[in-house]
Amino acid sequence: MDEQTTRLDERMVVVETRLPAVEARLIVIDGRLGNVDSRLLMLEKDVGLLREDVAVIRSNYALREDVAVIRSNYVTKNDLSAMETRILKWFIGTGITLATLTFTAGYAVARMLH
């Protein structure tokens, strides 16, 4: 039993020498964990603000579906070509009409004077 007592005493000495280091580590850990509650509350508040911001962004800005609708209303090359053709026809028709009116007015004035 004397040998067992010696081993037990040696173990107690080891435990007693390591105990202050363990206590110091626990104090550091406790200090770090002491701020966890306040940091967690701040994090929850920030997440709530982010949710509100995302809701505003979703309600105010275009979504992919909105962009698809806008793109479906874009003018295509064929549309531009058709519009150009219509404008040219209108311009030529207006020019011919004005030339005819001018000629007719000139002819009428010339007949009146002679």
Side-chain angles (χ1 to χ4, degrees):
M1 283 214 197
D2 207 17
E3 193 176 313
Q4 288 179 349
T5 306
T6 310
R7 285 186 191 166
L8 187 60
D9 287 340
E10 288 174 357
R11 288 184 181 170
M12 287 298 287
V13 169
V14 169
V15 168
E16 287 175 356
T17 56
R18 291 185 180 176
L19 188 60
V22 171
E23 287 177 345
R25 287 182 183 171
L26 286 175
I27 290 172
V28 169
I29 290 171
D30 188 42
R32 289 181 182 171
L33 290 178
N35 295 336
V36 169
D37 290 336
S38 62
R39 291 172 64 190
L40 184 59
L41 289 174
M42 288 174 31
L43 185 61
E44 288 174 347
K45 180 181 173 185
D46 290 343
V47 167
L49 292 174
L50 285 173
R51 283 185 179 161
E52 291 175 10
D53 290 344
V54 168
V56 168
I57 289 170
R58 284 187 176 173
S59 67
N60 291 336
Y61 296 101
L63 300 175
R64 288 183 185 195
E65 295 83 18
D66 298 332
V67 172
V69 169
I70 292 169
R71 285 189 178 165
S72 70
N73 292 325
Y74 279 174
V75 176
T76 63
K77 288 182 181 181
N78 292 335
D79 294 336
L80 287 176
S81 177
M83 179 61 75
E84 181 183 13
T85 303
R86 279 186 273 159
I87 290 173
L88 284 172
K89 286 179 182 178
W90 185 86
F91 183 73
I92 291 170
T94 303
I96 291 172
T97 303
L98 288 176
T100 304
L101 287 175
T102 304
F103 177 75
T104 304
Y107 183 74
V109 168
R111 280 191 74 163
M112 286 183 179
L113 292 176
H114 287 321

